[in-house]
Amino acid sequence: MHFTQREQRALRQAGVEQETIEAASEAVVAATDAAASDLETFFADRETVYSDMDRAHSASDIQTHAVEYLDLFTHADDIRGYLRFDSWGVPVEGGRVLAEDVVELRLGPTVNGRVRFAADEDAL
């Protein structure tokens, strides 16, 4: 179940039936799975993406990345995985689709922040 025991108890105390809580939990899990799939699809067919990532020693606000893959897994409402570029990679700790040609990933250690990725520089 997506909701913690405390959240479930609070929902029941507020009058929400257990069946409704379970349905909401299943909907959260399904939405998370769909988001992860959409994110992987965004990167799957692209050799190059553009980002607003802050990079040391770069004078540009937009970075160009050669992408090898994005591999994600989900648990309840959590999206995690790994984004591999041509010469380095970074853990992924969340993400969402912002538009058809723009996504946002929360990247872990070495980046530690939200980064938007686009199919085209102009989309950033």
Side-chain angles (χ1 to χ4, degrees):
M1 167 118 4
H2 164 68
F3 299 108
T4 67
Q5 293 297 320
R6 274 180 280 194
E7 291 168 332
Q8 290 179 55
R9 186 173 38 255
L11 289 166
R12 283 193 299 275
Q13 289 172 348
V16 179
E17 305 228 358
Q18 184 64 30
E19 184 177 287
T20 303
I21 295 170
E22 291 172 8
S25 179
E26 290 171 9
V28 168
V29 169
T32 302
D33 289 344
S37 178
D38 291 345
L39 290 166
E40 286 180 332
T41 298
F42 175 84
F43 286 94
D45 296 329
R46 291 186 169 83
E47 293 180 15
T48 302
V49 296
Y50 304 91
S51 80
D52 63 358
M53 183 185 304
D54 284 336
R55 290 184 64 177
H57 312 296
S58 175
S60 177
D61 289 337
I62 297 177
Q63 308 303 321
T64 303
H65 307 276
V67 175
E68 287 197 21
Y69 62 85
L70 174 65
D71 183 26
L72 300 174
F73 65 91
T74 64
H75 177 72
D77 68 339
D78 202 19
I79 297 174
R80 301 231 177 221
Y82 197 75
L83 176 59
R84 176 73 180 157
F85 299 110
D86 60 342
S87 62
W88 66 289
V90 63
V92 174
E93 299 177 347
R96 61 189 178 145
V97 175
L98 300 176
E100 183 177 327
D101 58 348
V102 181
V103 300
E104 179 182 78
L105 297 178
R106 176 142 177 37
L107 302 179
T110 69
V111 176
N112 289 322
R114 293 177 187 253
V115 177
R116 290 181 306 144
F117 293 90
D120 184 283
E121 289 182 74
D122 294 334
L124 293 174

